[in-house]
Amino acid sequence: MLEQLKPVICEYVEVEPDDITLESRFIEDLHFNSYDFMSFLGEVEEMLEVAVDEQDVLELDTVGKAIEYL
């Protein structure tokens, strides 16, 4: 799933796909702002046909945690 998410992440922030790892933190490492992060999650929800609970969003601070959640 990491490979599926890399192009989506790159739509929102300027980062090389090879620099995205499971340990990458959305805010600190990938430099998402809150608006872009929520837009990214919305796109992933549509792409994977899942729903992310608003209460759980704060726990999804790394790419790996987001993949695990999804």
Side-chain angles (χ1 to χ4, degrees):
M1 183 179 290
L2 177 60
E3 294 306 315
Q4 281 182 284
L5 291 183
K6 283 183 179 185
V8 181
I9 290 170
C10 291
E11 288 177 26
Y12 291 92
V13 293
E14 291 184 30
V15 64
E16 292 298 318
D18 290 339
D19 294 336
I20 302 169
T21 67
L22 294 174
E23 292 80 28
S24 296
R25 297 171 295 174
F26 287 106
I27 305 298
E28 295 86 347
D29 301 326
L30 302 176
H31 307 291
F32 270 82
N33 64 39
S34 57
Y35 176 78
D36 287 340
F37 182 68
M38 294 307 292
S39 298
F40 160 75
L41 284 179
E43 185 170 340
V44 171
E45 284 178 316
E46 285 183 29
M47 182 177 82
L48 300 177
E49 298 180 349
V50 297
V52 176
D53 188 290
E54 287 182 27
Q55 299 291 354
D56 296 331
V57 169
L58 296 176
E59 303 298 320
L60 307 179
D61 59 344
T62 67
V63 173
K65 285 183 184 177
I67 289 172
E68 199 174 295
Y69 180 86
L70 296 169

